[in-house]
Amino acid sequence: MMKLEQKYLDICYINAMIMQYTDILKAEGFTIKPLPLCQNPHIDLYAYKGDEKRIYEFKYYKNTSSINTKKSNLKTIKKYAETIGAEAFIVYLTPLKEKTIEFEDLESKILGYIVEEDFPAELDSLSTHTSIKSIYIDSINSISISETSINISGDATISVSLQYGSNSDLQNGDGDESSESFPMTFDADLDCNLNIIKCQYEIDTDDFYK
């Protein structure tokens, strides 16, 4: 899966802030009007209400080395604002920081829960003796945290070993073994120590029967 690069996230962030300011200004009775780029390329938003005019520039920066540039831009924006009788605003956006939450051994905990608490009938019916070998989490789709628990949902792949016949059948050459993998979704509640309280899941075995 392709990861969205930070520079594109920055653009999305700026556009989202412009949209938010637009909605707020409209709610306050302002009219939003675009300015031609040839007038001033730094203006992201122009709003007016009666005789009151405002112009906005939204700036995203990652470090303090660009402070002089920002001061220069502010001076340019204010000078332009004076020519149209508007008040100038530069909105500085703080960097978006990637948040990381680590769930140690989550795959093995989900595997343990499924094996010990609720062995899936859809897997048990595939062979005489079905055992789960591993679970690999492909993606985390959502995480929510409350005072007492953490809910996490996502997509995973579950790998199983299928044994047809008894152990003696295998020894005598009358049985068979194979390995299969199936996609699954999960929705797990964890306590504050990251132990699973309960886990709901669905395993798609449709391809096995095709």
Side-chain angles (χ1 to χ4, degrees):
M1 181 174 65
M2 183 182 294
K3 183 178 180 180
L4 194 61
E5 293 182 20
Q6 186 64 45
K7 62 180 179 180
Y8 300 113
L9 288 173
D10 294 348
I11 294 171
C12 293
Y13 185 29
I14 290 176
N15 289 336
M17 289 299 294
I18 293 173
M19 291 172 62
Q20 180 171 298
Y21 269 72
T22 297
D23 289 342
I24 292 172
L25 289 166
K26 284 182 176 179
E28 294 177 356
F30 283 87
T31 298
I32 309 301
K33 183 179 179 181
L35 285 173
L37 288 177
C38 58
Q39 281 190 256
N40 195 303
H42 299 289
I43 305 304
D44 295 310
L45 191 61
Y46 170 55
Y48 65 90
K49 180 171 63 173
D51 294 332
E52 184 179 358
K53 299 176 183 178
R54 298 181 183 180
I55 58 175
Y56 292 83
E57 180 193 5
F58 293 79
K59 297 286 293 180
Y60 184 91
Y61 61 96
K62 294 181 173 63
N63 53 58
T64 56
S65 63
S66 58
I67 287 178
N68 291 333
T69 302
K70 292 194 286 285
K71 287 181 178 178
S72 175
N73 285 343
L74 180 57
K75 189 174 181 180
T76 302
I77 295 296
K78 284 187 173 181
K79 186 175 180 180
Y80 173 75
E82 290 176 1
T83 65
I84 63 171
E87 186 176 2
F89 297 87
I90 293 187
V91 181
Y92 294 120
L93 307 177
T94 54
L96 284 173
K97 295 181 179 179
E98 184 176 345
K99 304 297 183 182
T100 301
I101 302 177
E102 293 186 2
F103 293 92
E104 188 173 350
D105 296 329
L106 180 60
E107 292 165 331
S108 61
K109 288 178 179 179
I110 293 176
L111 187 152
Y113 181 92
I114 292 176
V115 171
E116 297 172 13
E117 302 289 336
D118 188 21
F119 196 93
E122 60 265 49
L123 296 182
D124 196 31
S125 63
L126 296 178
S127 69
T128 310
H129 300 287
T130 302
S131 59
I132 300 175
K133 297 193 296 183
S134 64
I135 290 177
Y136 175 78
I137 295 177
D138 299 305
S139 65
I140 300 296
N141 298 331
S142 69
I143 298 174
S144 60
I145 301 174
S146 67
E147 293 182 358
T148 57
S149 65
I150 301 170
N151 176 267
I152 179 169
S153 65
D155 299 313
T157 299
I158 185 167
S159 297
V160 299
S161 177
L162 306 177
Q163 177 180 318
Y164 300 95
S166 64
N167 290 336
S168 59
D169 289 334
L170 289 176
Q171 293 174 355
N172 296 329
D174 296 325
D176 193 17
E177 285 184 302
S178 65
S179 297
E180 297 285 346
S181 295
F182 304 101
M184 66 174 286
T185 59
F186 66 90
D187 189 298
D189 290 330
L190 289 72
D191 62 22
C192 296
N193 294 318
L194 302 184
N195 295 313
I196 294 181
I197 302 171
K198 65 178 181 178
C199 180
Q200 297 178 320
Y201 58 86
E202 291 186 2
I203 301 171
D204 185 359
T205 60
D206 287 350
D207 285 347
F208 180 81
Y209 298 101
K210 292 180 180 179

